[in-house]
Amino acid sequence: MSRSKPTKGKANPSLYWSLTQWISAAIVVSAGLEFEISRRIVEQINHVMLKEEGTEALEDYSKTLQKAWREKPDQTLTSLLDSTFSTSHVTPVLINGANVSSPTKTRTELSDAEITEIRKTLLNDEDQFIVGRDTGLGLAAAAQQLTLEANGQNKQVQLVVVLRWPLLKSLRELQWFEFQSRAITLIITLLASGLLLYALLEPLRRLNQKTRELTSEQLPDARVDADGAPREIHELITSYNDSLDRLNTEYERQQLFASTVSHEFKTPLTVIRGYIESILIRSTNLTEREASKLETAKQEVDRLNQLVSDLLDLSRYDHNTLKLRNEPFSPHAELSTTANHLRDMHPDRVSAHISEDIQALMASGDAGRYAQIIRNLTENALKYSPADTKVEIRGFRRENTIVAEVADQGPGIAPEHQTRIFERFYRIDEHRTLTQKSSSGLGLAIVKSLADSMGATVGVHSTVGHGSTFWLAIGIISPANNAP
């Protein structure tokens, strides 16, 4: 079982960020609407309260001014206002034609120009009441015509009261404080929502991580704990775990089948090969054609025998029963011997360049399996490169490792295949047309299994159209002359 291939194309948005954005937008819109409604309600309440306050102030000042005027009718309007003005929240103003009179104490706070502006605005207002004055001390203003009577003489003036209402200021300050509080609450809510979403989606992240790392060898350990997950996510994880159990059962059956078949095939194939060799050696009356056919049959039996051996090795590797020696050996000696053997078999195609710098170096592992890896890599290179090209075996030191390379001049391997060619039964369709020899797709999987079992690493460097270089790196333990 191999890992799933990532899908190319435009990346899908993160569920976490999508939910966070939608929830944040909903909270912001809701808070904005709530604040706007609250602001309008407060403004209406303020308007009604101010209007009542203004009406009451007009009535009170009308009575007070008329009484003071009757007591002293020869005084000026300014004196009249000074005699009745207190430091309360209402400032009275009397307008007689073009003359504007206001209490002396408020001259520095409420200029004639501001009073004129207030008067002009009041003249354009039907109910002679305005709210929201920001000039001077005025927050609101109301006006009415006033008749001052004394000694049978009447004096027509316009009374304007400018409300200096500290309570309204406090209300507006509270309104601003409420806005700040709502903004802070909104930020805290957004952060809390983000953290809550992050916690709720944690099981999905674990599921995604397990899925990314999923391989056939890790099926039993790939289960995800669904405790504490929301119901919908819990159901998803439960389905995933059930699927893993089914896959693991099927995979174990497949392994058992491969192991059983391999064991059952091993003995019959050995017997068949022995009979073929016996016939070829002892029979002197075989025709050339008959001998050739028997030789072909022997080669096919050898191929099947190798396939069975590979299946057995992989089965043992899966069950951690693959027995490899772990003893010091000389990679230089194994590389040299294997390279010489392969050169004898393919004198026109195989060459070797093994550095003498590694001759005295030792590694720990199974020498026979190390040689098998080199043979597999070389035979794979010979199979998938043109018949008139060379395959080179190299050996050299790189830091604390001994590196063996097998380089060919074949078609190269595309990047999307390089991460998968060590998987079992994985074959590149474009390469099948380059050789008439059949392939089981197990050669590189065996190489990877053997390398992992010895603590070595294996990989490939390749460019399409410029060949491939497979490499094997194994750690250095000591010089050869110190080996036991």
Side-chain angles (χ1 to χ4, degrees):
M1 184 183 301
S2 60
R3 296 182 184 177
S4 60
K5 186 177 181 180
T7 305
K8 293 184 177 180
K10 185 178 180 181
N12 293 323
S14 165
L15 177 61
Y16 171 71
W17 285 114
S18 297
L19 289 175
T20 301
Q21 289 171 357
W22 279 105
I23 293 175
S24 300
I27 292 175
V28 169
V29 171
S30 175
L33 290 174
E34 183 182 358
F35 177 78
E36 180 62 20
I37 293 172
S38 175
R39 184 185 67 80
R40 289 179 180 271
I41 292 174
V42 170
E43 285 184 353
Q44 290 297 321
I45 293 174
N46 291 341
H47 188 278
V48 171
M49 295 177 68
L50 276 175
K51 193 166 185 177
E52 291 180 354
E53 181 72 15
T55 302
E56 184 179 346
L58 284 172
E59 293 177 356
D60 290 344
Y61 260 102
S62 295
K63 294 176 181 179
T64 302
L65 290 172
Q66 286 177 342
K67 181 180 178 181
W69 182 261
R70 283 194 297 269
E71 293 174 355
K72 193 176 181 181
D74 57 344
Q75 63 183 320
T76 64
L77 294 178
T78 300
S79 298
L80 177 64
L81 291 171
D82 287 341
S83 65
T84 58
F85 177 71
S86 65
T87 57
S88 66
H89 57 270
V90 179
T91 300
V93 177
L94 291 175
I95 301 173
N96 183 18
N99 296 324
V100 177
S101 301
S102 61
T104 305
K105 294 180 180 180
T106 65
R107 293 287 176 84
T108 58
E109 300 173 347
L110 193 63
S111 66
D112 290 346
E114 291 172 330
I115 295 173
T116 302
E117 180 65 25
I118 293 173
R119 179 190 182 192
K120 187 183 299 184
T121 306
L122 285 168
L123 289 174
N124 295 325
D125 191 80
E126 292 182 1
D127 57 0
Q128 296 286 284
F129 179 75
I130 56 175
V131 178
R133 298 301 309 173
D134 294 325
T135 57
L137 301 177
L139 295 170
Q144 72 173 28
Q145 292 298 320
L146 176 65
T147 302
L148 299 176
E149 299 178 358
N151 302 326
Q153 296 181 357
N154 297 333
K155 190 171 186 176
Q156 297 292 329
V157 295
Q158 186 181 33
L159 172 62
V160 177
V161 290
V162 179
L163 305 182
R164 302 178 299 155
W165 197 12
L167 177 59
L168 180 61
K169 288 184 178 180
S170 299
L171 287 174
R172 289 184 174 178
E173 290 174 356
L174 286 173
Q175 189 176 7
W176 172 245
F177 176 75
E178 180 188 11
F179 171 78
Q180 292 176 316
S181 300
R182 287 179 182 274
I184 294 173
T185 302
L186 177 61
I187 294 173
I188 294 174
T189 303
L190 292 175
L191 291 175
S193 300
L195 292 174
L196 178 61
L197 278 175
Y198 189 85
L200 288 176
L201 295 177
E202 175 61 24
L204 285 182
R205 284 191 295 275
R206 294 200 306 268
L207 178 61
N208 180 57
Q209 184 65 26
K210 289 288 187 180
T211 305
R212 286 179 178 273
E213 298 174 352
L214 184 62
T215 62
S216 56
E217 295 80 9
Q218 297 173 336
L219 285 174
D221 302 323
R223 294 175 61 87
V224 177
D225 184 11
D227 291 343
R231 183 179 62 188
E232 293 80 1
I233 298 179
H234 188 281
E235 292 174 354
L236 175 63
I237 294 176
T238 301
S239 299
Y240 165 79
N241 289 335
D242 291 343
S243 299
L244 280 184
D245 292 339
R246 291 192 297 270
L247 286 173
N248 189 51
T249 300
E250 293 299 323
Y251 182 66
E252 289 177 348
R253 289 175 181 173
Q254 181 186 32
Q255 287 181 312
L256 180 60
F257 173 78
S259 177
T260 303
V261 169
S262 300
H263 278 290
E264 293 297 327
F265 278 13
K266 193 73 174 174
T267 300
L269 287 174
T270 303
V271 172
I272 293 172
R273 190 181 190 282
Y275 277 120
I276 293 174
E277 283 187 337
S278 177
I279 294 173
L280 287 172
I281 294 172
R282 297 181 180 180
S283 298
T284 58
N285 57 348
L286 291 175
T287 64
E288 183 177 347
R289 183 179 180 183
E290 290 171 338
S292 176
K293 288 183 176 181
L294 286 172
E295 190 63 40
T296 301
K298 176 186 169 185
Q299 291 174 0
E300 289 301 312
V301 169
D302 288 339
R303 188 181 69 81
L304 284 174
N305 208 13
Q306 183 60 50
L307 176 59
V308 169
S309 297
D310 290 345
L311 287 172
L312 280 173
D313 284 342
L314 289 173
S315 178
R316 292 168 182 149
Y317 175 77
D318 292 335
H319 291 87
N320 295 319
T321 58
L322 182 60
K323 302 298 182 182
L324 273 72
R325 295 186 178 185
N326 186 20
E327 57 187 15
F329 73 96
S330 169
H332 180 276
E334 295 303 324
L335 278 172
S336 299
T337 301
T338 304
N340 290 334
H341 174 69
L342 290 168
R343 270 191 303 209
D344 291 340
M345 294 177 60
H346 309 277
D348 298 327
R349 297 203 58 195
V350 177
S351 62
H353 183 272
I354 301 171
S355 173
E356 294 300 321
D357 293 340
I358 66 172
Q359 187 171 7
L361 301 178
M362 300 290 287
S364 180
D366 190 314
R369 294 295 193 174
Y370 182 85
Q372 181 183 346
I373 293 175
I374 303 303
R375 284 197 304 274
N376 282 11
L377 291 177
T378 306
E379 290 169 357
N380 191 72
L382 291 168
K383 184 186 299 182
Y384 290 107
S385 59
D388 57 347
T389 60
K390 289 277 190 180
V391 171
E392 184 178 13
I393 301 172
R394 309 180 191 126
F396 55 91
R397 177 174 183 169
R398 178 183 292 157
E399 297 179 350
N400 294 324
T401 62
I402 298 172
V403 179
E405 290 184 343
V406 177
D408 63 47
Q409 301 174 38
I413 303 170
E416 62 267 23
H417 296 303
Q418 292 181 22
T419 57
R420 303 194 60 192
I421 55 175
F422 291 99
E423 296 176 5
R424 299 173 193 183
F425 306 109
Y426 186 81
R427 288 180 289 183
I428 304 173
D429 292 336
E430 306 91 275
H431 290 187
R432 296 184 185 183
T433 58
L434 298 176
T435 178
Q436 300 299 320
K437 298 180 181 179
S438 59
S439 173
S440 65
L442 293 176
L444 292 179
I446 289 292
V447 166
K448 182 73 165 59
S449 300
L450 294 177
D452 290 344
S453 298
M454 288 194 295
T457 54
V458 65
V460 61
H461 300 301
S462 183
T463 303
V464 175
H466 295 84
S468 304
T469 299
F470 286 84
W471 54 267
L472 172 69
I474 191 168
I476 299 170
I477 59 169
S478 66
N481 54 9
N482 292 335

